[in-house]
Amino acid sequence: MASFGWKRKIGEKVSKATSQQFEAEAADDKALGEDDDANWVLAAKRRKEVLVEDCVRKSKELKDEGANLAENRRYREALVKWDEALQLTPEDATLYEMKSQVLMSLHEMFPAVHAAEMAVQRNPRSWDAWQTLGRAQLGLGEIALAIRSFQVSLHIFPMNPEVWKEDLSWARKLQEQQKATRTESVQALAKGKELVQESIPDYDFESDEIVAVCAAIAEKEKALSAAKTMVIVSASGTVETVTEQDNRPATPDETLFIRAR
């Protein structure tokens, strides 16, 4: 019968030199594994950077193509190019600002305002975007909002003469005209109400004078209804106006053939 003892420890009879060699090889393998992981991360990061660079490059090409189309008044085609560019670089505020300008040229004011707002959201420091937003708002008749947008544009770029002399000046002139029109409308409405009130005097219909006038009119109508006149043309052509009494025969004389009231 075989006897069993304690298991020997691993490496009990392994020489010290062999053990050191094994540890060195293990350390090299570990270093190689760490290098492979680092290389993989760097490669993935580099591929991402290349992809972003390609998107930016392609987006710029589409932006330039759209700009050329817009200069030739081919606005719809320009919008298609810029929409493709936005798929690649959705945070490009310039693309939205250019879209807003073209949409205003097409008289599509609501989309123009939306595109300009997107441009301002992506780059609040762009005076161009605020200026375009103000123009789009002015196209919608939102004069107060347009003035605010122009003021923000000037706050960012105070030395812009175009915003000072053209945009903001024109918007304030429109605001003054709007206020004057509203004032005239209110005054005309108030004057109309006064005329209506003056045209209907406040009569006292129970006064003695009104009662007497009503009685006189009633007596006159009664007298007219009691004696009625008529025009009679005889066979010989004689025209005669007579008064018709209540006791007059209903049938005319047989010599009369025309009777008119």
Side-chain angles (χ1 to χ4, degrees), residues 64-80 82 101-107:
D64 295 338
E65 291 176 9
N68 291 330
L69 291 170
E71 289 178 359
N72 294 321
R73 299 181 181 275
R74 297 165 64 180
Y75 298 131
R76 296 294 180 185
E77 298 176 53
L79 290 175
V80 172
W82 291 335
Q101 291 189 49
V102 167
L103 288 168
M104 280 189 284
S105 298
L106 294 172
H107 303 287

Side-chain angles (χ1 to χ4, degrees), residues 21 49 55 234 252:
Q21 183 180 359
E49 291 175 353
C55 290
S234 63

Side-chain angles (χ1 to χ4, degrees), residues 134 137-150 168 170-179 182:
Q137 291 168 336
L138 204 60
L140 278 182
E142 298 291 344
I143 300 176
L145 293 177
I147 290 176
R148 179 185 177 277
S149 297
F150 293 142
L168 188 58
W170 173 246
R172 285 176 173 170
K173 184 177 180 180
L174 290 177
Q175 189 179 47
E176 292 175 359
Q177 292 177 355
Q178 187 182 56
K179 290 180 180 179
R182 289 178 179 175

